[in-house]
Amino acid sequence: MAPTVILIRHAEAEHSLGPQCQELNAYLKNHVPLAERVELIVSSPMRRTLQTATQSLDWLIARGVPVVLRAEWQENSDKPCDTGTSIADMRQEWPQFSWDSVDPDYPSKSGLYEFSKDGLLQRGIEARRWLKSRPEKVIAVVSHSGFLRVGVSFRKYENADFRVFEFAAGNEFDDVGGKLVEWEMTATKGGGLGKSPPGIFDFDPADVPGEARTRRELSEAVSERPEREGREGKARGGFA
């Protein structure tokens, strides 16, 4: 059976990251029983997602829940703010994680990671397909608003907010990596913390190169070199 997935957008970089992670941490621990059942944490290999994972999900990591880094979950564009740092540098900076699972092409924005409509949609298919194939029953993923929206779920995510999904039953959507169906609780509330706009947001021309930047894109862009604060360190009615 495919896993239940908690999709989390990273916290805002610099001064807001710590408080936002603390809020998310407390909410997940105290109000989301599903979070206690997480068996795997998946993270984009970028700094702001690693910071969010280590601060927001620290109690899971402390009890031995493994963290897997996957290049599919990096942010969309090829702008410097959305392009990661070399694996060699990040391995030294984050030695507590294994970097063996990160595609050696990272942080190149070519091939599967090309900043184009076809590239983003194909990367979303591969990300969902990998998740659906996992044996764990509950997986938490820490990624970026642009990719979570355009590539994976067609939902919007504010900083340090989350949504919960099941994979649709059957094999009808296997050719696109499976279809994610959001739990009613996060869909109607606007994310688990209620910070995110409700609704479905399809791919639009502003999501691909050559189009004018929109206010949404500006709000999603965050520097890849934030303050290194804390670096080490199916409808359902509830979160059970």
Side-chain angles (χ1 to χ4, degrees):
M1 183 175 178
T4 300
V5 181
I6 304 172
L7 297 181
I8 302 169
R9 180 189 177 183
H10 64 78
E12 187 176 4
E14 300 182 0
H15 63 281
S16 297
L17 189 144
Q20 289 180 348
C21 286
Q22 291 169 10
E23 179 185 20
L24 177 59
N25 181 304
Y27 192 87
L28 289 172
K29 284 196 292 188
N30 297 321
H31 302 286
V32 186
L34 179 72
E36 288 290 338
R37 295 160 45 203
V38 168
E39 300 175 78
L40 180 69
I41 298 167
V42 180
S43 179
S44 153
M46 299 182 74
R47 286 191 181 92
R48 54 193 185 265
T49 44
L50 295 176
Q51 290 171 330
T52 301
T54 53
Q55 294 184 46
S56 299
L57 306 175
D58 58 348
W59 89 100
L60 295 173
I61 296 172
R63 78 179 190 208
V65 175
V67 179
V68 174
L69 311 182
R70 301 285 300 185
E72 298 97 299
W73 295 93
Q74 65 184 285
E75 188 53 298
N76 292 348
S77 87
D78 54 4
K79 298 180 177 67
C81 63
D82 289 333
T83 301
T85 302
S86 73
I87 293 174
D89 288 346
M90 292 297 280
R91 181 179 278 118
Q92 292 186 0
E93 189 175 318
W94 297 86
Q96 66 268 51
F97 299 127
S98 171
W99 289 82
D100 294 344
S101 59
V102 180
D103 188 333
D105 287 342
Y106 181 83
S108 170
K109 294 287 188 173
S110 61
L112 183 62
Y113 315 108
E114 179 183 86
F115 182 35
S116 66
K117 180 176 181 178
D118 288 345
L120 293 173
L121 293 179
Q122 185 60 42
R123 178 148 61 97
I125 289 171
E126 295 304 319
R128 287 192 302 273
R129 180 174 289 143
W130 185 88
L131 280 180
K132 189 177 181 183
S133 72
R134 295 296 303 184
E136 295 85 6
K137 294 181 179 179
V138 183
I139 298 175
V141 179
V142 185
S143 186
H144 308 264
S145 61
F147 184 61
L148 289 174
R149 179 179 60 81
V150 172
V152 180
S153 69
F154 299 102
R155 307 297 197 276
K156 288 188 175 182
Y157 300 72
E158 289 300 315
N159 288 110
D161 205 356
F162 69 95
R163 296 178 183 273
V164 182
F165 296 85
E166 305 278 0
F167 279 95
N171 302 319
E172 179 182 356
F173 300 100
D174 281 358
D175 59 337
V176 292
K179 179 181 179 180
L180 290 173
V181 181
E182 187 172 11
W183 280 20
E184 182 182 359
M185 177 62 73
T186 59
T188 58
K189 186 179 179 181
L193 295 178
K195 297 180 177 182
S196 304
I200 297 174
F201 300 88
D202 290 331
F203 208 109
D204 69 57
D207 292 319
V208 297
E211 299 291 338
R213 297 185 71 193
T214 64
R215 291 183 180 179
R216 185 203 62 256
E217 289 179 295
L218 291 170
S219 71
E220 290 174 351
V222 184
S223 173
E224 163 60 1
R225 296 188 175 274
E227 299 272 347
R228 297 183 183 179
E229 174 186 358
R231 186 185 71 202
E232 305 304 333
K234 153 181 185 172
R236 296 204 183 189
F239 289 124

